[in-house]
Amino acid sequence: MQSDVVLRVVSKFLIPFILLFAFYVQFHGDFSPGGGFQAGVILAAGIILYALVFGVAASFRIVPMRATQIGAAIGVMIYGGTGVVSLLRGARYLDYNALAHDPVHGQHLGIFMVELGVGIGVASTMLWLFYSFTSHKLRRDGQS
Amino acid sequence: MTGLFGYWTVIATLAIGLYIMIAHGNLVKKVIGLNVVQTAVILFYVSFGKVHGGTAPILDERFEIYSNPLPHVLMLTAIVVGVATTAVALALIVRIWESYGSIEEDDIVRAELVE
Amino acid sequence: MTDWLHLVLLIALVVVALDLARLRDLFAAAMLTGFFSLLCAVYYTIVDAVDVAFTEAAVGAGLSTVLMLGALSLLDERVETGRVRNRIGALSAALAVAAMMLYATPDMPAYGDPTSPVNQPDRPAWRYVHQSGKEIGVPNIVTSVLASYRGYDTLGETNVIFTAGLAVYALLAGVRRKRGQDAE
């Protein structure tokens, strides 16, 4: 895929900041607007921008299709697993009070894990959706 | 009067979305209509979370009144789920186009009748 | 000042929606949905729903436009034929729904009314606003409601997103290889 020089230089400059912003939104979501959903979407958008400018083949080398599928499953499992941990510690499912010695710390830990699960899950799924469409196009164009 | 203006906008947007969904035979256009309806619902929920004199629901010692956080939470997840379901709809449309060679509803119905 | 901004934004939303109904070029319509989402995001910021605005700006204006353009690039039809079927039926159905809802609006609480039913002390939102600082200890109330008070809800939503990913993958990658439809 050939794209404009300006586009390539600007996006090369921007993409690290987009990814960094995604992590900021993820881990600062307790104190400011943001959280797992937004961070996941921004992370996916950064990689999609890379794919659009440098070609899908280049982005497949960095984040393969397989990784997005595994990531989507891991995200859901982190979320569900947090609930199972609180079950094992004798509380109800997804009751974070039992995760640490002190309920407020338990809540902090629980929210952190859950938001992490949501972030990984959403980022991977959004990228997976984009990859599904683009790889379908690649396969179809390759056949005709 | 101004207190109800937001509701009228929601109603107008919803009616336009519904019209797009029913009147247009093009499947992509139908999905766009569905998105407009979805946005109308989100607008409705978010606008009744607002409280006069309140601020964004982030706790701070300087503020006393916050807008209602519950509709925000429900709509936040609804937006992300909305884009995922839109992607499913678009994938279906792509498969329909590959099978029928058209995404116009009446062409598809006619092709089904011929078979 | 905010009231005026409010009014202008809401009118602009309706105008963009009307334009969406009129546009035949699907690429232009897809781009316009991005603009529609951006307007919504500005509106959400004004009504203090910053988290929703953030999500709408990232998802609606960014990702969903990209996905729609990606799907359109898989189709050869870029322009709708403009055959509008049953315009009168569609118009009357839309107007009937609008009329019924208009009839119901005077019973709704006014915009920003602090005494509206959702803001009463016996509602869950009251507890979220007044107790979450002590119970959860996280300043962003939306985060604490999303992840803790309504954790089951969010678990369901995460599962829906995962399922949507699976469905799209099955539709676009799985089926084709098995049936070998290239022969058609």
Side-chain angles (χ1 to χ4, degrees):
Chain A
M1 191 189 271
Q2 290 294 319
S3 39
D4 195 35
V5 174
V6 177
L7 211 59
R8 264 186 293 167
V9 171
V10 169
S11 52
K12 230 175 206 168
F13 178 72
L14 272 180
I15 286 168
F17 289 103
I18 295 175
L19 299 185
L20 193 66
F21 183 59
F23 286 112
Y24 170 77
V25 169
Q26 170 80 46
F27 296 114
H28 207 256
D30 295 0
F31 308 100
S32 62
F37 283 100
Q38 293 92 334
V41 171
I42 293 170
L43 193 69
I47 298 170
I48 288 174
L49 174 64
Y50 183 82
L52 289 177
V53 175
F54 297 97
V56 187
S59 91
F60 270 139
R61 276 198 296 277
I62 299 171
V63 188
M65 180 86 145
R66 200 83 202 141
T68 64
Q69 293 166 352
I70 294 169
I74 284 178
V76 178
M77 281 198 302
I78 290 177
Y79 200 133
T82 311
V84 174
V85 170
S86 61
L87 265 186
L88 291 177
R89 293 183 71 103
R92 278 168 297 181
Y93 192 70
L94 288 176
D95 184 354
Y96 312 135
N97 282 349
L99 288 180
H101 297 293
D102 154 29
V104 172
H105 274 133
Q107 290 288 345
H108 274 278
L109 191 64
I111 289 178
F112 178 80
M113 289 312 289
V114 160
E115 290 277 8
L116 192 68
V118 169
I120 294 173
V122 169
S124 312
T125 313
M126 292 301 155
L127 206 57
W128 188 15
L129 292 174
F130 176 74
Y131 276 176
S132 295
F133 280 103
T134 46
S135 63
H136 187 68
K137 185 174 171 59
L138 286 178
R139 205 177 310 129
R140 212 175 65 189
D141 290 352
Q143 278 168 359
S144 58
Chain B
M1 274 314 234
T2 50
L4 296 177
F5 188 78
Y7 295 121
W8 299 338
T9 323
V10 169
I11 294 170
T13 322
L14 194 120
I16 294 166
L18 203 62
Y19 172 79
I20 299 175
M21 273 168 71
I22 301 173
H24 289 260
N26 191 297
L27 294 177
V28 175
K29 208 60 190 281
K30 275 184 198 288
V31 171
I32 291 175
L34 196 65
N35 277 340
V36 173
V37 172
Q38 184 201 346
T39 310
V41 174
I42 294 171
L43 277 175
F44 173 64
Y45 268 76
V46 168
S47 66
F48 73 51
K50 168 80 181 169
V51 176
H52 270 310
T55 180
I58 294 169
L59 294 173
D60 193 291
E61 285 163 2
R62 287 168 291 172
F63 299 106
E64 284 282 306
I65 309 168
Y66 302 98
S67 59
N68 197 323
L70 187 53
H72 299 182
V73 174
L74 300 178
M75 290 309 105
L76 195 158
T77 49
I79 291 172
V80 183
V81 169
V83 70
T85 48
T86 304
V88 176
L90 290 171
L92 278 171
I93 291 172
V94 168
R95 299 288 304 164
I96 287 173
W97 187 80
E98 283 165 0
S99 299
Y100 293 92
S102 168
I103 49 166
E104 291 285 335
E105 198 183 12
D106 26 355
D107 289 343
I108 296 163
V109 172
R110 209 176 300 129
E112 276 289 304
L113 286 177
V114 168
E115 274 177 15
Chain C
M1 167 50 196
T2 24
D3 278 352
W4 277 107
L5 195 57
H6 210 115
L7 212 67
V8 170
L9 265 175
L10 288 176
I11 292 170
L13 267 175
V14 176
V15 170
V16 173
L18 276 174
D19 207 34
L20 269 175
R22 192 189 56 85
L23 266 181
R24 278 208 205 152
D25 188 340
L26 294 176
F27 262 96
M31 292 308 290
L32 201 62
T33 52
F35 180 61
F36 187 66
S37 295
L38 210 58
L39 278 179
C40 286
V42 178
Y43 176 77
Y44 299 151
T45 319
I46 294 174
V47 297
D48 292 337
V50 278
D51 280 275
V52 186
F54 200 165
T55 319
E56 180 76 47
V59 172
L63 215 66
S64 98
T65 315
V66 168
L67 283 179
M68 208 166 262
L69 291 179
L72 278 176
S73 74
L74 279 163
L75 310 169
D76 269 356
E77 279 174 71
R78 301 288 155 83
V79 179
E80 158 178 48
T81 50
R83 272 175 298 181
V84 171
R85 338 160 286 131
N86 202 358
R87 191 190 297 265
I88 294 158
L91 210 58
S92 50
L95 286 178
V97 170
M100 276 191 284
M101 291 175 74
L102 263 180
Y103 176 72
T105 39
D107 295 337
M108 296 295 289
Y111 166 79
D113 183 6
T115 59
S116 70
V118 282
N119 297 322
Q120 293 307 305
D122 58 337
R123 301 287 164 191
W126 185 270
R127 180 176 168 195
Y128 300 154
V129 172
H130 295 275
Q131 300 293 322
S132 74
K134 259 177 277 160
E135 288 180 343
I136 313 285
V138 165
N140 189 351
I141 306 175
V142 173
T143 301
S144 48
V145 178
L146 181 95
S148 187
Y149 288 113
R150 292 195 158 256
Y152 285 11
D153 201 345
T154 313
L155 177 64
E157 310 272 17
T158 317
N159 272 310
V160 169
I161 294 167
F162 177 65
T163 316
L166 268 181
V168 170
Y169 183 69
L171 278 167
L172 292 180
V175 184
R176 194 176 175 81
R177 233 179 283 143
K178 253 186 195 164
R179 293 205 187 140
Q181 287 176 337
D182 333 328
E184 277 177 23

